[in-house]
Amino acid sequence: MHAEFCRRLRRRDPLIGTIVSLDSIAVVEIIAASGFDWLFVEAEHAPNGLAALERMLVAARDTPCLVRLPNHEPTWIKRALDLGAAGIIVPQVNSVGEAHAIAQAARFTPAGERGLGVCRANGYGYASAEYVANANAATAVLVQAEHIDAVENASSIASVDGIDGVFIGPYDLSASMGVPGEITHPDVGAAIDTVRAAFTAVGKPVGYFGTDPADVKTRIATGFSLVACDVDVLLLRAAATALAADLRATEPPPPV
Ligand code: 3PY
Ligand code: MG
């Protein structure tokens, strides 16, 4: 159960995380032990199916995982939550109708219409009654604002019951605004501020992803409470590239 994580999320405590995209028990165990509050488990831009997600969630042990789904489908929502994720991050949510449908699929009655079955999340049925009683409070449901349409509809999306908060996707947002990858473009910055204001006005947390720690630290300092900085593959790439360059910079002795 992830009640404490969800309480902290809804209280807008700062929660730092990073993206894990590799279906590797070792990678998830290493990152889970490295001091983050939560893990952003990637199933949108990485080829992770449900069996991979199960391995990754088991490897994360007590570190809460939010699974970023590939789409809005209720089947994906149900299966990710049934695997024991602390919550879901749903990409490209651009309208109040989409947000409402996601909340319905993720919440048990009377708040929604999530189905109930024997699964990892309820201890394979050993803790079924307790799970159903507590799951709505102990499940985080975040929608991504990463399209200009979501920015325009931010206030109505923010007011949907059952949606805990928003996670801004600056890269897709920049693409939808005709400036792909330019996440520091002033128009993209203004759009991010609009979304932040809409969710802050109703007391809901705002999340942000970045690859530049300086940028992410600025976001934390300005009230983005849920952050994911960097991606496992980029961390690996940066360490490997730096090591190779460092070794290559050492002059060998002249040939004898
Ligand atoms: C984006 O920047 O588009 C993202 O989805 C980051 O999480
Ligand atoms: Mg995105």
Side-chain angles (χ1 to χ4, degrees), residues 102-117:
I102 289 160
Q104 287 291 300
R107 303 295 184 195
F108 286 119
T109 186
E113 53 195 28
R114 180 176 166 195
L116 176 63

Side-chain angles (χ1 to χ4, degrees), residues 19 40 44-45 68 144 146 167-173 209:
I19 295 185
F40 179 129
E44 186 194 18
H45 290 292
R68 198 246 299 267
Q144 281 204 267
E146 52 180 353
F167 199 93
I168 290 165
Y171 287 92
D172 276 316
L173 179 59
F209 167 77

Side-chain angles (χ1 to χ4, degrees), residues 51-130:
L53 292 178
E54 183 179 43
R55 279 188 289 278
M56 294 167 85
L57 294 176
V58 170
R61 296 182 212 172
D62 293 335
T63 304
C65 293
L66 300 180
V67 174
R68 198 246 299 267
L69 303 177
N71 55 42
H72 301 188
E73 280 175 21
T75 309
W76 263 101
I77 295 172
K78 172 167 56 189
R79 289 180 143 195
L81 295 179
D82 280 0
L83 283 176
I88 49 172
I89 298 175
V90 186
Q92 298 281 357
V93 179
N94 298 337
S95 72
V96 68
E98 291 172 351
H100 180 72
I102 289 160
Q104 287 291 300
R107 303 295 184 195
F108 286 119
T109 186
E113 53 195 28
R114 180 176 166 195
L116 176 63
V118 175
C119 60
R120 180 168 185 263
N122 60 32
Y124 308 100
Y126 284 118
S128 202
E130 185 197 339

Side-chain angles (χ1 to χ4, degrees), residues 21-220:
S21 67
L22 294 169
D23 170 19
S24 157
I25 289 171
V27 167
V28 178
E29 285 184 335
I30 290 165
I31 294 183
S34 65
F36 289 103
D37 296 307
W38 68 287
L39 301 182
F40 179 129
V41 177
E42 177 65 300
E44 186 194 18
H45 290 292
N48 292 319
L50 289 157
L53 292 178
E54 183 179 43
R55 279 188 289 278
M56 294 167 85
L57 294 176
V58 170
R61 296 182 212 172
D62 293 335
T63 304
C65 293
L66 300 180
V67 174
R68 198 246 299 267
L69 303 177
N71 55 42
H72 301 188
E73 280 175 21
T75 309
W76 263 101
I77 295 172
K78 172 167 56 189
R79 289 180 143 195
L81 295 179
D82 280 0
L83 283 176
I88 49 172
I89 298 175
V90 186
Q92 298 281 357
V93 179
N94 298 337
S95 72
V96 68
E98 291 172 351
H100 180 72
I102 289 160
Q104 287 291 300
R107 303 295 184 195
F108 286 119
T109 186
E113 53 195 28
R114 180 176 166 195
L116 176 63
V118 175
C119 60
R120 180 168 185 263
N122 60 32
Y124 308 100
Y126 284 118
S128 202
E130 185 197 339
Y131 180 71
V132 176
N134 297 311
N136 285 350
T139 299
V141 180
L142 294 139
V143 291
Q144 281 204 267
E146 52 180 353
H147 191 281
I148 193 62
D149 291 350
V151 177
E152 278 152 22
N153 295 324
S155 292
S156 54
I157 294 172
S159 67
V160 173
D161 283 342
I163 298 299
D164 288 306
V166 68
F167 199 93
I168 290 165
Y171 287 92
D172 276 316
L173 179 59
S174 67
S176 83
M177 297 177 72
V179 287
E182 290 183 47
I183 65 165
T184 57
H185 191 288
D187 293 348
V188 177
I192 291 173
D193 284 345
T194 300
V195 174
R196 183 173 61 139
F199 279 77
T200 304
V202 292
K204 292 186 179 179
V206 184
Y208 181 81
F209 167 77
T211 56
D212 173 6
D215 172 33
V216 174
K217 286 199 271 187
T218 305
R219 299 294 178 180
I220 295 169

